[in-house]
């Protein structure tokens, strides 16, 4: 009698928990099914994804940065670079107010709306579209539904083309690169995924913490629904088996076919459901745990007097210089020169002497800066720095930035620094590393990468579809019992 009561209670709780989680499961599985279409099969194509800058020898700057600054009575800057577009070469100068101005490298004259013009040039370069009108240009300093945090790069210019496909290109002019691109189809998928998978509407109502707490509660309900379902099947499988045998012996019609399919498919996809729920819940727990406010991006102020050596007289062949900038750390100012092999060299702006292992030193300095709780003994002398030129499981393609320097600490944490932008690209430490691996392998099925992206997407879609089907059969069986 007691055993029958326990079984009955488990069955009732399974129905209650399953019905509670039904709508969220439908939302998540349908939006999950749409993800491969958005990120792979229906992803819009673009002519060029990487901008290839001219070498300094082909840009042919006539004036040095010192001459340009002196001509325009500029005594303080934050950074500068050389860019070439529309058949002219310009100094791209980041002023003390963090605004980019463009000065001709031939005569030093200011180009009006230079940053907007350069962004437009890059957008046309990436699309190879020189004829369509530009419908709108906006400087974007925050993420939104169409330009989401996964794109990482800010600020960017949003260039909207007046075309039937509604193409938008997001451009980071400081590094001459593209953040992302969206056409009308991708915008629709982004909205669908944002509302039905990440539940942005909850964040709009009560903020990110509110959303993550609600989602975590639902995940816990789903987990208990799964456990109770498996328990019911384990407690009652002999009963289910005997009922099936008697029906076959008597030649009766199977009136509980929906219930049977719910049990059988549920058993088959139970492991998949478990991986989805555990990885999703873990992802939310880590999000709620990581409440520390990040430090603002590293900012520097360079005085004109610090630039004693001309940027056009460095001991590097102009034919291999792809990018030049200026950085300040450790009490010194350096020209930061990137060559055609993506090797980065540092030359003192007062003496012209090269700083050996300068990129490692700068990465170590920036990593120390971005640590919010600083212990000087922990950061200096006991770290390993090496350059990363390819994405991997820990530093994935979603981080956008390459090359970066990986600063590895004795506690096992890795801080990835993009020295050319002086920004923290990613940090991986402790629970973050475990969560990242669990999410890409248990939630996004990166373990199937060896079979190709299409196969991986098909497998993940079949897994989501299985969860959806078993949920719908569960709903149908509940309705039949009414």
């Amino acid at each position: 009698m007691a055993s029958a009561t326990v079984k009955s209670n488990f069955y009732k709780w399974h129905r209650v928990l399953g019905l509670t989680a039904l709508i969220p499961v439908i939302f998540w599985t349908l939006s999950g099914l749409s993800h491969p279409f958005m990120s792979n099969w229906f992803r819009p194509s673009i002519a060029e994804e990487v901008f290839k800058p001219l070498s300094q020898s082909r840009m042919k700057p006539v004036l040095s940065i010192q001459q340009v600054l002196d001509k325009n009575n500029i005594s303080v800057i934050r950074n500068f670079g050389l860019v070439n577009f529309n058949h002219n070469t310009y100094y791209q100068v980041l002023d003390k107010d963090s605004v980019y101005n463009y000065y001709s490298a031939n005569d030093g004259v200011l180009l009006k709306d230079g940053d907007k013009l350069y962004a437009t040039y890059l957008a046309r370069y990436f699309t190879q579209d020189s004829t369509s009108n530009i419908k709108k240009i906006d400087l974007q300093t925050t993420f939104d539904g169409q330009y989401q945090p996964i794109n990482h790069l800010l600020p960017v210019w949003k260039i909207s083309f007046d075309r039937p496909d509604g193409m938008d290109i997001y451009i980071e002019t400081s590094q001459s690169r593209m953040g992302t691109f969206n056409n009308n189809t991708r915008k629709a998928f982004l909205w669908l995924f944002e509302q039905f998978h990440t539940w942005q509407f909850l964040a709009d109502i009560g903020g990110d913490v509110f959303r993550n707490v609600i989602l975590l509660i639902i995940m816990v309900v789903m987990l208990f629904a799964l456990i109770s379902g498996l328990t019911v099947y384990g407690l009652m499988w002999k009963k289910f088996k005997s009922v099936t045998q008697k029906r076959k012996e008597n030649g009766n019609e199977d009136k509980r076919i929906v219930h049977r399919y719910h049990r059988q498919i549920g058993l088959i996809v139970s492991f998949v459901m478990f991986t989805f729920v555990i990885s999703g819940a873990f992802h939310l727990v880590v999000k709620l745990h990581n409440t520390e406010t990040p430090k603002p991006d590293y900012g520097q102020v360079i005085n004109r007097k610090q630039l004693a050596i001309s940027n056009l007289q460095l001991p590097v062949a102009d034919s291999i210089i792809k990018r030049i900038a200026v950085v300040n750390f450790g009490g010194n100012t350096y020209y930061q020169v990137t060559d055609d092999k993506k090797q980065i060299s540092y030359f003192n702006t007062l003496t012209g002497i090269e700083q050996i292992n300068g990129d490692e030193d700068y990465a170590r300095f920036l990593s120390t800066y971005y640590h919010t709780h600083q212990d000087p003994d922990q950061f200096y002398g006991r770290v390993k720095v090496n350059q990363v030129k390819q994405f991997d499981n820990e530093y994935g393609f979603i981080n956008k930035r390459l090359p970066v320097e990986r600063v590895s600490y004795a506690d096992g944490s890795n801080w990835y620094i993009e020295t050319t932008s002086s920004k923290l690209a990613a940090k991986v430490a402790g629970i973050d590393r475990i969560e990242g691996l669990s999410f890409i392998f248990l939630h996004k099925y990166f373990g199937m990468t060896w079979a190709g992206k299409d196969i991986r997407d098909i497998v993940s879609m079949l897994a989501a579809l299985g969860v959806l089907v078993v949920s719908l059969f569960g709903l149908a069986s509940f309705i039949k019992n009414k």
Side-chain angles (χ1 to χ4, degrees):
M1 186 69 178
S3 177
T5 302
V6 171
K7 293 176 183 178
S8 177
N9 286 336
F10 261 104
Y11 189 66
K12 288 178 181 178
W13 273 110
H14 175 65
R15 293 173 68 190
V16 171
L17 294 168
L19 287 172
T20 303
L22 179 64
I23 299 300
V25 167
I26 293 174
F27 280 5
W28 282 327
T29 52
L30 287 177
S31 56
L33 286 169
S34 74
H35 191 269
F37 293 98
M38 174 180 66
S39 63
N40 189 6
W41 298 321
F42 285 1
R43 187 174 187 265
S45 60
I46 196 164
E48 299 287 345
E49 293 199 22
V50 178
F51 178 70
K52 299 176 182 177
L54 298 178
S55 63
Q56 186 165 294
S57 62
R58 295 183 63 187
M59 291 190 192
K60 300 178 181 178
V62 174
L63 303 179
S64 67
I65 183 62
Q66 291 88 347
Q67 292 171 308
V68 169
L69 295 180
D70 293 343
K71 181 168 183 171
N72 291 276
N73 298 314
I74 300 172
S75 59
V76 174
I77 63 172
R78 291 192 179 275
N79 214 328
F80 81 93
L82 269 172
V83 297
N84 180 279
F85 64 100
N86 296 338
H87 308 295
N88 290 294
T89 297
Y90 299 92
Y91 278 100
Q92 180 192 57
V93 177
L94 182 63
D95 68 21
K96 61 182 180 181
D97 296 323
S98 298
V99 174
Y100 281 101
N101 290 312
Y102 291 68
Y103 301 91
S104 170
N106 293 323
D107 56 22
V109 174
L110 174 67
L111 176 66
K112 185 179 180 181
D113 295 325
D115 207 36
K116 187 181 294 186
L117 292 173
Y118 187 47
T120 303
Y121 167 81
L122 289 174
R124 292 194 182 279
Y125 171 88
F126 290 121
T127 58
Q128 292 295 290
D129 184 347
S130 59
T131 58
S132 297
N133 292 327
I134 302 297
K135 182 168 59 176
K136 195 175 182 183
I137 304 178
D138 292 311
L139 183 63
Q140 189 156 334
T141 56
T142 58
F143 298 109
D144 59 22
Q146 294 183 6
Y147 188 72
Q148 299 181 349
I150 195 173
N151 294 300
H152 289 278
L153 308 179
L154 280 179
V156 291
W157 286 95
K158 179 182 178 181
I159 314 295
S160 301
F161 283 87
D162 189 10
R163 301 189 337 188
D165 64 355
M167 181 65 78
D168 294 335
I169 311 292
Y170 295 84
I171 301 295
E172 185 188 40
T173 53
S174 63
Q175 298 290 312
S176 302
R177 62 188 168 192
M178 176 175 60
T180 192
F181 57 98
N182 300 324
N183 62 4
N184 289 330
T185 302
R186 183 170 168 81
K187 291 173 195 176
F189 277 123
L190 283 169
W191 182 89
L192 176 69
F193 196 80
E194 183 182 45
Q195 297 302 322
F196 291 95
H197 208 85
T198 62
W199 291 28
Q200 179 60 36
F201 62 89
L202 287 181
D204 294 337
I205 294 171
D208 283 335
V209 173
F210 172 75
R211 171 180 59 179
N212 292 336
V213 169
I214 296 298
L215 292 180
L216 184 58
I217 291 172
I218 295 172
M219 285 286 186
V220 172
V221 171
M222 289 177 61
L223 179 60
F224 279 107
L226 172 61
I227 293 173
S228 61
L230 291 174
T231 304
V232 167
Y233 189 89
L235 289 174
M236 304 176 69
W237 75 272
K238 288 184 179 180
K239 177 182 177 181
F240 296 144
K241 184 178 179 180
S242 64
V243 169
T244 301
Q245 288 176 342
K246 287 181 180 179
R247 178 184 56 79
K248 289 180 178 180
E249 290 172 359
N250 297 331
N252 295 331
E253 181 184 356
D254 187 359
K255 296 181 178 180
R256 295 179 62 84
I257 187 171
V258 172
H259 301 73
R260 182 160 56 85
Y261 280 150
H262 175 64
R263 293 194 303 270
Q264 291 176 348
I265 299 174
L267 187 63
I268 293 170
V269 303
S270 59
F271 178 73
V272 168
M273 293 175 66
F274 184 77
T275 60
F276 279 157
V277 171
I278 292 298
S279 58
F282 193 16
H283 183 67
L284 292 168
V285 168
V286 172
K287 274 191 170 185
L288 290 169
H289 174 266
N290 293 338
T291 57
E292 192 176 64
T293 302
K295 290 186 87 171
D297 290 338
Y298 174 67
Q300 60 185 15
V301 175
I302 308 295
N303 193 289
R304 160 65 181 88
K305 295 179 181 179
Q306 295 173 259
L307 305 177
I309 302 296
S310 170
N311 63 294
L312 302 182
Q313 297 177 352
L314 299 178
V316 181
D318 285 358
S319 60
I320 66 171
I321 295 178
K322 290 292 186 177
R323 186 181 182 277
I324 188 168
V326 64
V327 297
N328 183 282
F329 67 97
N332 294 295
T333 302
Y334 303 91
Y335 288 117
Q336 182 190 64
V337 179
T338 305
D339 65 21
D340 54 0
K341 299 290 192 302
K342 295 186 178 181
Q343 295 299 315
I344 305 172
S345 304
Y346 291 73
F347 299 92
N348 192 293
T349 59
L350 293 177
T351 65
I353 297 174
E354 182 177 1
Q355 175 78 3
I356 305 301
N357 298 323
D359 209 43
E360 293 184 12
D361 294 339
Y362 190 42
R364 189 179 292 108
F365 167 83
L366 289 172
S367 180
T368 303
Y369 167 81
Y370 283 114
H371 275 78
T372 51
H373 301 293
Q374 294 190 13
D375 177 2
D377 292 335
Q378 179 183 356
F379 300 134
Y380 290 103
R382 297 197 299 136
V383 300
K384 180 181 178 182
V385 183
N386 62 288
Q387 191 179 60
V388 175
K389 293 184 177 181
Q390 294 181 342
F391 296 117
D392 56 26
N393 287 335
E394 181 172 282
Y395 184 74
F397 68 93
I398 63 170
N399 292 297
K400 294 287 187 179
R401 307 174 188 275
L402 279 181
V404 292
E405 293 284 357
R406 178 172 56 213
V407 184
S408 302
Y409 292 91
D411 62 359
S413 63
N414 290 327
W415 293 62
Y416 294 86
I417 305 293
E418 185 181 47
T419 53
T420 55
S421 64
S422 303
K423 292 185 178 182
L424 174 65
K427 62 176 180 178
V428 182
I431 193 172
D432 296 317
R433 177 181 287 109
I434 299 172
E435 185 277 323
L437 291 174
S438 77
F439 197 75
I440 64 172
F441 283 105
L442 300 181
H443 208 89
K444 303 184 74 174
Y445 282 35
F446 268 51
M448 292 294 299
T449 302
W450 59 270
K453 192 170 184 180
D454 289 339
I455 299 299
R456 187 193 75 195
D457 286 343
I458 290 172
V459 170
S460 65
M461 288 180 69
L462 289 174
L465 186 61
V467 175
L468 176 61
V469 169
V470 76
S471 301
L472 294 178
F473 271 119
L475 174 61
S477 63
F478 171 79
I479 295 172
K480 289 197 72 172
N481 283 343
K482 298 297 285 182

